[in-house]
Each structure stands twice: as structure tokens, then as C-alpha cells.
Amino acid sequence: MQTRLETAKIVTLEIEVPKVENPWMKFAGMFKDDPQFDEMLGYIEEYRRELDAQMEEYYQQLDVENETK
């Protein structure tokens, strides 16, 4: 092993990384002219608020349980 390491050569390689287009870019802006898009975003925001409220309630419940132990 020592002999092999003594005769080893260090080589620098330059490798070009192929540029790959982001696959999601073809969907960017596809709903910009959709009249129902804003309504859909409203539903998403409302659902997110509901989930956040549920998680907040859950964490408060955990805090109460931990305080009583």
C-alpha cells in the first residue's frame, strides 16, 4: 500500500454540470388569467389558518399537560 501511495498522482478534473431546466417553470403563471384563481387562493389561505389554529390549540394543550406533571 505504501509503495502504491508513493507513486500515486493527483489529477484535477473539470466536469461540466449539465444545466437542467427547473421542471416546475413550465407551470409558472399558468393561472394568471384564470378568474377563479384569487378565489382558490382565498380557500387555501382559509384552510391554512384553520390548520394553524388547530396546531396552536394542540400545542397549548401540550403545555397545559406538561405544566401539570
Side-chain angles (χ1 to χ4, degrees):
M1 183 71 158
Q2 186 68 30
T3 305
R4 183 173 279 192
L5 290 174
E6 288 174 358
T7 60
K9 294 181 183 177
I10 297 176
V11 180
T12 302
L13 295 176
E14 290 185 27
I15 301 172
E16 275 191 45
V17 179
K19 291 188 177 187
V20 178
E21 183 181 334
N22 185 329
W24 292 104
M25 288 306 294
K26 62 184 171 187
F27 300 109
M30 69 186 284
F31 295 111
K32 66 181 173 125
D33 296 325
D34 188 335
Q36 295 176 331
F37 186 68
D38 289 335
E39 183 180 355
M40 182 195 64
L41 286 180
Y43 289 133
I44 292 172
E45 292 169 358
E46 179 182 341
Y47 183 60
R48 179 76 256 168
R49 283 191 295 272
E50 289 174 12
L51 290 177
D52 289 345
Q54 289 174 2
M55 290 307 295
E56 182 64 28
E57 183 180 329
Y58 172 74
Y59 288 134
Q60 287 177 356
Q61 187 177 17
L62 285 179
D63 288 343
V64 168
E65 289 174 7
N66 286 334
E67 289 175 0
T68 60
K69 290 182 181 181

